[in-house]
Amino acid sequence: MKRIVASLMLFAGSPALSEELKLRELCSERPGLNTPACTVDPGHLQIELGLGDWTMNRQSDQREDRIETGQMLLRYGVGATTEVRFGWTAYGHVRNRDRDTGEIDRSGGIGDVTLSLKQNLRHPAEGRTGLAIALLPYATLPAGRKDVGDGDWGGGLIVPASYKFDDTVSLEFSPEVQAAVNESGSGRHFAYGSAMGVQVHLNEHMRLTPELQFVRDNDPEHHVTMSNAALSFDVQPAKMTQLDVQAVAGLNRNTPDVELSFGVTHKF
């Protein structure tokens, strides 16, 4: 009996098992244009909530202001390297003003639903140096109201990748291909692009991340290239809680002029 107990204690204290049972560092997909390769621990739920998001897009004939709140992403770890995900926007409000006549149109309601799965291929835990990579296929379901949602189903594949040099600096990449919904709200077209950025740990609890993003969108009505520059900041007031803010600027006429957002993440 003593030998059995001793064997169990030795097994429980083995480095491999201790690493598996150890709670991983918080790894939020907020904020930022990139998607991290890390996954949530098995049996744990992570909630990422966008508390407020404002986007302003000025064109020659109109100005659009979009406000969204309750942008929710639920991530649940189902394996050592796998998580399932559910995304939804609780409310969106769109205001369009004709710049010639001054006429204003307003619409609002719930947003679309996104279902996805992230499968990590290397380094599922945040914080490890070296290369981390994952696959993230997703599908968007047309649950949203007109102008707030896309109007039809869509989907795509993101390949999150990063390279962490040390505890201070890491590079991030997120190439993506999409079956994007047509601007008309019916049917799909091909779109592709990538985000890239540098994540800088200012200290143990704060990070600053400058990023760029380029997307080629082959909508039947017009083929355009969109480009963004972003700067985000996040802080962890507690081990499993994060607060964040982000500012995004459009770099050409095909991209919304500015987007400001803030939110919170917590892992249970």
Side-chain angles (χ1 to χ4, degrees), residues 128-248:
R128 296 191 61 178
T129 57
L131 176 67
I133 189 168
L135 297 176
L136 175 52
Y138 65 89
T140 302
L141 308 180
R145 298 285 302 275
K146 182 182 177 182
D147 295 332
V148 179
D150 289 336
D152 204 343
W153 68 268
L157 173 67
I158 306 173
V159 184
S162 64
Y163 192 92
K164 187 167 185 175
F165 294 97
D166 50 36
D167 291 337
T168 302
V169 178
S170 60
L171 299 179
E172 297 182 318
F173 303 93
S174 297
E176 178 179 5
V177 292
Q178 301 179 48
V181 178
N182 295 338
E183 188 173 328
S184 64
S186 178
R188 282 149 298 281
H189 61 273
F190 182 61
Y192 61 93
S194 183
M196 60 205 76
V198 180
Q199 191 174 87
V200 180
H201 289 252
L202 303 177
N203 57 40
E204 187 178 352
H205 305 291
M206 294 188 294
R207 296 182 302 184
L208 188 69
T209 308
E211 298 169 293
L212 291 172
Q213 183 183 49
F214 301 94
V215 176
R216 179 63 177 175
D217 190 296
N218 295 328
D219 189 277
E221 295 186 10
H222 48 268
H223 295 192
V224 297
T225 298
M226 298 175 287
S227 56
N228 287 306
L231 183 64
S232 59
F233 172 79
D234 61 81
V235 59
Q236 288 186 231
K239 185 176 181 180
M240 292 300 153
T241 302
Q242 175 186 288
L243 305 175
D244 65 75
V245 294
Q246 176 177 262
V248 183

Side-chain angles (χ1 to χ4, degrees), residues 11 23 34 37 51 59 63 84 166 176 200 204 214 227-228 242 246 251 265 268:
F11 179 69
L23 186 64
N34 281 281
L51 301 176
Q59 300 296 329
R63 165 175 166 163
V84 292
D166 50 36
E176 178 179 5
V200 180
E204 187 178 352
F214 301 94
S227 56
N228 287 306
Q242 175 186 288
Q246 176 177 262
L251 300 181
T265 298
F268 297 89

Side-chain angles (χ1 to χ4, degrees), residues 54 56-58 62-65 95-97 99:
W54 168 65
M56 187 262 287
N57 186 14
R58 289 178 297 187
Q62 68 174 7
R63 165 175 166 163
E64 178 186 278
D65 290 271
R95 176 183 182 271
N96 281 293
R97 181 175 67 86
R99 301 185 71 177

